[in-house]
Amino acid sequence: MIRFEENFSLKAFNTLGIEAKARYFFEFTEMEDLPYFLANFPDWEKLPVLLLGGGSNMLFVSDFDGLVLHANVPGVQQVKEDRNHVWIEVGAGENWDRFVEYCVGQWLGGIENLSLIPGNVGAAPVQNIGAYGVEVCDYVETVKGFDMKTFEEYEIPASECRFGYRDSIFKHELKNRFVVTSVVFRLDKFVEYKLGYGDLKAEVERRGGENIHFVRDAVIAIRESKLPDPEKLGNAGSFFKNPVVVNDVATKLKDGFPAMPIYPAGDGESKLAAGWLIEQCGWKGFREGDAGVHEKQALVLVNYGKASGKDIFELAVRIQQDVFNRFGVQLEPEVNILGA
Ligand code: EPU
């Protein structure tokens, strides 16, 4: 299936629910459709290109005067198995949480802590999604796709994806150039649960102890208690990254603000909790017009209905300034901001 539209509303393609238009929008369900389309679309190289998945990590500040590509490739297929692992190839257009649910249903372990993260499978390695002590990079074998610069199809092993905290090669050298069409995951047959984060262990125990279904249920319950459902309240999850600072800076901050949560981040660095910093500046639950800060998680900006991309962006800038003035820490957006 292919679909080509002009002046296309992206409102249904971003979970913040922002009204913005794409000059051109192309959706495809088979990798082969993309080179064919590009070869027949005059001068596409002169246009800005945006690769859009589920739009769960995107803020459109204005209309996008370019070409949006939406790889809606379906499919979930086991490709290999050995004594300890199962490898599954999943199309970029599959819903992430449906895939987690599928793995949990098969008792295949690894990604159960990543339950209920919104978005599509194709974006998971781009953003290196993470939650409750697990990052998806630990379960990615290879990322397959199409390079629009060389017009080649190839796969990139996880070791070459330069995964970092909410980061990968797909946000740098290969940004808006390598279109992810499928991802091969390596899941564990013998599951080792990772329950060290926050109150996850207690939630799992309350349900009857270590069992992949209970872990998924517990993660879902914790997420639902803090994070708004994008179907009901527009949001893009954490709007900012948790800042990583050198240990010296963290120690000084802790002296000044003893209650500040600080986590070791390896390599002489520490991670701060952006949500805490924002809450301390008084933003939690703030609302102006239809743009706001979620009342249960200050790291999440929300659209109560008719906020524009500019409204959300301006709110984000005010929050950044406040946090910087109070703590000397620069918050970096976690969402991709377009058109600011
Ligand atoms: N906190 C506050 N006030 C707030 C929010 C948080 O004081 O309004 C404090 C909490 O009390 C806790 C600390 O900050 O001490 C961390 O909070 P939480 O466990 O809720 O997680 P987070 O650091 O705010 C990160 C990820 C989330 C992920 C959770 C759980 C980032 C940017 N965010 O949030 O990921 O679900 O941990 O692992 O790393 C996302 O990326 O979109 C996302 C939701």
Side-chain angles (χ1 to χ4, degrees), residues 56-57 117-118 127 129-134 165-166 197-198 223 226-227 236-242 261 263 271-280 284 294-300 334:
S56 57
N57 214 36
I117 294 181
Q127 188 63 12
I129 56 172
Y132 309 104
V134 172
Y165 168 53
R166 298 291 191 280
Y197 189 98
R223 285 188 78 92
K226 290 187 187 170
L227 297 166
S238 299
F239 194 90
F240 300 101
K241 290 188 193 179
N242 282 329
Y263 312 95
K271 201 184 262 187
L272 312 178
W276 187 89
L277 302 173
I278 297 168
E279 180 173 351
Q280 294 302 305
K284 197 171 186 170
H294 190 49
E295 54 192 8
K296 295 187 194 137
Q297 196 356 328
L299 197 44
V300 178
E334 204 235 87

Side-chain angles (χ1 to χ4, degrees), residues 27-295:
E27 176 180 351
F28 59 99
T29 51
E30 281 170 55
M31 171 136 84
E32 295 68 38
D33 295 330
L34 181 59
Y36 180 79
F37 167 77
L38 293 176
N40 287 287
F41 191 85
D43 289 339
W44 69 269
E45 292 103 322
K46 292 188 185 141
L47 292 170
V49 170
L50 170 68
L51 309 179
L52 187 63
S56 57
N57 214 36
M58 199 57 97
L59 172 63
F60 293 104
V61 182
S62 51
D63 290 341
F64 185 69
D65 191 19
L67 171 64
V68 171
L69 298 175
H70 180 57
N72 205 5
V73 178
V76 177
Q77 200 189 348
Q78 182 171 322
V79 289
K80 200 166 105 179
E81 180 171 2
D82 70 12
R83 221 174 72 83
N84 298 318
H85 301 110
V86 169
W87 285 260
I88 300 180
E89 180 168 357
V90 190
E94 292 289 339
N95 174 272
W96 171 259
D97 190 52
R98 291 285 80 72
F99 173 56
V100 177
E101 188 181 37
Y102 168 84
C103 292
V104 168
Q106 309 281 314
W107 291 76
L108 290 173
I111 57 173
E112 56 281 353
N113 289 29
L114 307 182
S115 289
L116 211 64
I117 294 181
N120 291 353
V121 166
V126 177
Q127 188 63 12
N128 188 16
I129 56 172
Y132 309 104
V134 172
E135 282 184 329
V136 78
C137 61
D138 294 330
Y139 299 92
V140 171
E141 181 81 15
T142 59
V143 179
K144 297 187 180 182
F146 177 77
D147 188 327
M148 294 197 291
K149 195 163 171 192
T150 61
F151 259 59
E152 283 172 324
E153 270 177 53
Y154 54 89
E155 56 186 275
I156 306 177
S159 58
E160 288 169 26
C161 290
R162 267 186 261 143
F163 287 122
Y165 168 53
R166 298 291 191 280
D167 204 19
S168 72
I169 194 169
F170 309 106
K171 291 174 92 173
H172 299 280
E173 289 94 308
L174 296 181
K175 185 172 179 172
N176 290 330
R177 165 178 159 183
F178 187 79
V179 185
V180 176
T181 51
S182 69
V183 182
V184 179
F185 296 92
R186 185 194 54 258
L187 286 318
D188 299 329
K189 287 188 184 172
F190 304 98
V191 192
E192 260 182 54
Y193 299 106
K194 298 193 182 64
L195 306 178
Y197 189 98
D199 40 9
L200 183 55
K201 194 173 170 59
E203 280 289 326
V204 170
E205 263 154 23
R206 252 175 15 94
R207 286 170 169 75
E210 295 195 7
N211 161 321
I212 196 162
H213 290 272
F214 295 157
V215 175
R216 175 169 164 82
D217 293 349
V219 167
I220 288 175
I222 296 170
R223 285 188 78 92
E224 282 179 339
S225 72
K226 290 187 187 170
L227 297 166
D229 176 354
E231 299 276 321
K232 297 184 186 126
L233 181 61
N235 76 92
S238 299
F239 194 90
F240 300 101
K241 290 188 193 179
N242 282 329
V244 177
V245 298
V246 294
N247 287 343
D248 274 1
V249 171
T251 309
K252 284 196 190 100
L253 283 166
K254 191 85 184 167
D255 288 345
F257 306 93
M260 181 183 285
I262 294 179
Y263 312 95
D267 274 349
E269 293 184 318
S270 301
K271 201 184 262 187
L272 312 178
W276 187 89
L277 302 173
I278 297 168
E279 180 173 351
Q280 294 302 305
C281 292
W283 287 102
K284 197 171 186 170
F286 173 88
R287 175 173 178 174
E288 193 171 86
D290 271 354
V293 179
H294 190 49
E295 54 192 8

